[in-house]
Amino acid sequence: ESTPAARRPLPSQAPQDKEERRLIRDACMAVVATAGWAAALAYPAASLLALANGANDICNSVGTAVGAGALTMRQALVLGCIAEAIGAVTIGPFVAQSIASGQIHVAAFAGSPRTFVLLMLSSLLGAGISTLLATLYGAPISATHGIVSGIVTVALLSGTHGALDLGGIGFTLLGWAASPLAGLAAGFAVSLLVHRLFLRTRSPPAG
């Protein structure tokens, strides 16, 4: 699955990013403190998306290894679960931050935290349900595409002035367009290297 690249903030952007993170935290805490439904929906929605995304992504990660007979299904599932967990804990927060505040201006919702929480909950549920259904029917899907498009769509429907971060959305779209091209180039380079070092050599390594 492709994911939006986490942008390293410039020095001039750091205070703004810090303020947006504070607004996110304050908005969520304020709504959760006054509305039990927010927490009651947030945890299941996040868990649903995590389950569906993990089930779909692990197929991308180990499908070729299983198909080639390099790994059994059980080995692939064990290794995939370990790698998915490590990746989510170590690198996931960077992507989460990019998704949370890289597509919309959180400051635009400072006066309506309830709208902001509803926006995020709707995006979570929409992405989770669509990813789960696609996985059950064996269709490849990107949960990141789903949640980013969901955030942008719900932000538009909310009618909040200045909600969309057009620069952030453009950066994400650029990453989506560049990532398959970069994968194509990297795959071609590795394939060429394997052919020259192992398949076409006059003295292949003993194995």
Side-chain angles (χ1 to χ4, degrees):
E1 168 189 8
S2 56
T3 57
R7 292 175 291 168
R8 183 182 298 276
L10 298 175
S12 59
Q13 294 176 319
Q16 181 181 358
D17 291 343
K18 185 177 181 180
E19 177 66 13
E20 287 193 346
R21 287 195 295 271
R22 185 188 67 80
L23 286 170
I24 292 174
R25 184 183 64 249
D26 291 350
C28 292
M29 293 300 294
V31 174
V32 170
T34 57
W37 57 264
L41 287 177
Y43 290 113
S47 299
L48 173 66
L49 180 57
L51 174 66
N53 193 30
N56 196 279
D57 274 0
I58 197 172
C59 302
N60 303 329
S61 305
V62 302
T64 52
V66 173
L71 293 174
T72 66
M73 183 65 73
R74 178 172 295 182
Q75 291 171 335
L77 289 175
V78 171
L79 291 175
C81 289
I82 294 173
E84 290 265 355
I86 293 174
V89 172
T90 57
I91 307 176
F94 296 102
V95 179
Q97 177 60 32
S98 179
I99 292 175
S101 59
Q103 320 306 317
I104 57 176
H105 292 295
V106 182
F109 297 91
S112 54
R114 185 180 293 267
T115 300
F116 178 76
V117 172
L118 281 173
L119 184 155
M120 289 299 180
L121 283 175
S122 300
S123 303
L124 271 177
L125 286 170
I129 293 172
S130 61
T131 304
L132 183 62
L133 289 175
T135 304
L136 289 174
Y137 284 99
I141 190 175
S142 169
T144 306
H145 287 64
I147 195 165
V148 168
S149 59
I151 289 174
V152 171
T153 301
V154 178
L156 282 172
L157 292 175
S158 72
T160 304
H161 179 71
L164 295 183
D165 182 353
L166 297 181
I169 294 172
F171 188 85
T172 298
L173 294 177
L174 179 62
W176 286 351
S179 58
L181 297 177
L184 174 65
F188 177 77
V190 171
S191 177
L192 188 63
L193 186 65
V194 170
H195 273 269
R196 289 192 173 183
L197 292 181
F198 298 100
L199 300 182
R200 294 183 180 176
T201 182
R202 294 182 179 179
S203 54

